Amino acid sequence: MDKQINVKNAIDNLLLIIKKYQLEDIRPQVETLKYLREILNNDEIQSTREKWNLHKSLFPPHGGLSELHYWHDDFQKRKNVNEDISALTEIIAEYLLEGLK
């Protein structure tokens, strides 16, 4: 259960970053993140196939969360935000891939 709380927090924090910094071009992934959060909030059990499909939706071969980056002229700010994005997307990806490796 702690893992689900960690994933919910990662989703919430990632959505806040996306909104705060107005990161565009990932609308389908934002909707998928909201859907995943709803599933976790309702304690619904997900099959391996459902998790895999959510992962494919969030991390397609081109675009998606794996290519989500923040640009700012201030290197340190850009580095910090992008490190946060990477850490949060890794938590989400690991949850969805759990048991598939």
Side-chain angles (χ1 to χ4, degrees):
M1 195 58 93
D2 290 333
K3 194 171 282 192
Q4 285 189 348
I5 291 171
N6 195 26
V7 174
K8 283 192 265 188
N9 289 337
I11 292 169
D12 290 340
N13 289 328
L14 185 57
L15 289 172
L16 285 173
I17 289 171
I18 290 168
K19 184 176 181 177
K20 179 178 180 177
Y21 297 109
Q22 300 174 359
L23 303 175
E24 305 291 331
D25 300 328
I26 57 161
R27 188 81 184 131
Q29 285 77 23
V30 167
E31 294 305 315
T32 301
L33 285 170
K34 290 177 181 178
Y35 174 70
L36 177 57
R37 184 180 57 196
E38 187 175 317
I39 289 170
L40 294 170
N41 282 340
N42 294 330
D43 292 324
E44 294 177 30
I45 304 298
Q46 296 170 278
S47 70
T48 302
R49 180 178 294 278
E50 288 171 321
K51 284 182 156 184
W52 177 244
N53 287 335
L54 286 169
H55 184 274
K56 287 192 317 186
S57 175
L58 292 171
F59 302 95
H62 300 289
L65 298 184
S66 56
E67 294 182 8
L68 180 62
H69 298 287
Y70 171 68
W71 175 258
H72 193 277
D73 289 335
D74 180 337
F75 172 78
Q76 195 59 47
K77 181 173 185 172
R78 179 175 70 236
K79 180 178 179 259
N80 291 341
V81 172
N82 285 320
E83 285 175 351
D84 289 346
I85 290 170
S86 292
L88 295 169
T89 56
E90 187 174 322
I91 290 168
I92 296 164
E94 285 179 5
Y95 169 76
L96 293 173
L97 292 175
E98 188 177 64
L100 297 176
K101 297 178 181 178

